[in-house]
Amino acid sequence: MSGPWDAGLQPERAELSWRRTVLAVTAGTVIAARYLGQSHPVFGLLLPLVALVGGLVLLRIGTLRFRRLDARLRAAGSQPSEPVMPGAAMLGLLALMCLLIGVTSTAFIVVTALRQ
């Protein structure tokens, strides 16, 4: 074994699991945004588009993040002298996307309840 991981498979598995997570959150956001925007045609098109673009950005950031991680692990060898994890931009953007889903859904529920 030439590094502190199992021949490159661990970063690949982590990248694939993040991709599945981002795709699931993106699909859920697009569906929710489409549902929330039914009463307003502009929101019905704009919100899913924003969700889709956000998901694509997260996928790109994730791919770059795990490529950097793999390169840093390979460069560090079997005994890294410092942490090799890249930044947390992807995690922060995913959390922001989930927060926006929650806030939008709550606003939709409150507005719908007040109309009745």
Side-chain angles (χ1 to χ4, degrees), residues 21-97:
T21 301
V22 168
L23 288 172
V25 169
T26 301
T29 305
V30 168
I31 292 168
R34 184 71 182 130
Y35 178 73
L36 292 172
Q38 275 184 333
S39 60
H40 301 328
V42 174
F43 287 136
L45 294 174
L46 184 64
L47 292 176
L49 183 63
V50 169
L52 189 59
V53 169
L56 291 174
V57 167
L58 283 172
L59 281 176
R60 181 67 182 149
I61 289 172
T63 299
L64 293 175
R65 180 177 193 257
F66 285 106
R67 284 183 185 167
R68 277 195 314 265
L69 173 61
D70 186 51
R72 287 181 184 179
L73 281 172
R74 291 184 192 282
S78 61
Q79 299 296 324
S81 60
E82 59 185 45
V84 294
M85 287 300 294
M90 182 180 172
L91 185 59
L93 284 174
L94 187 60
L96 179 63
M97 200 169 176

Side-chain angles (χ1 to χ4, degrees), residues 5-17 70 73-74:
W5 65 97
D6 53 354
L9 295 179
Q10 182 180 4
E12 182 181 348
R13 284 191 307 264
E15 179 182 6
L16 290 173
S17 66
D70 186 51
L73 281 172
R74 291 184 192 282

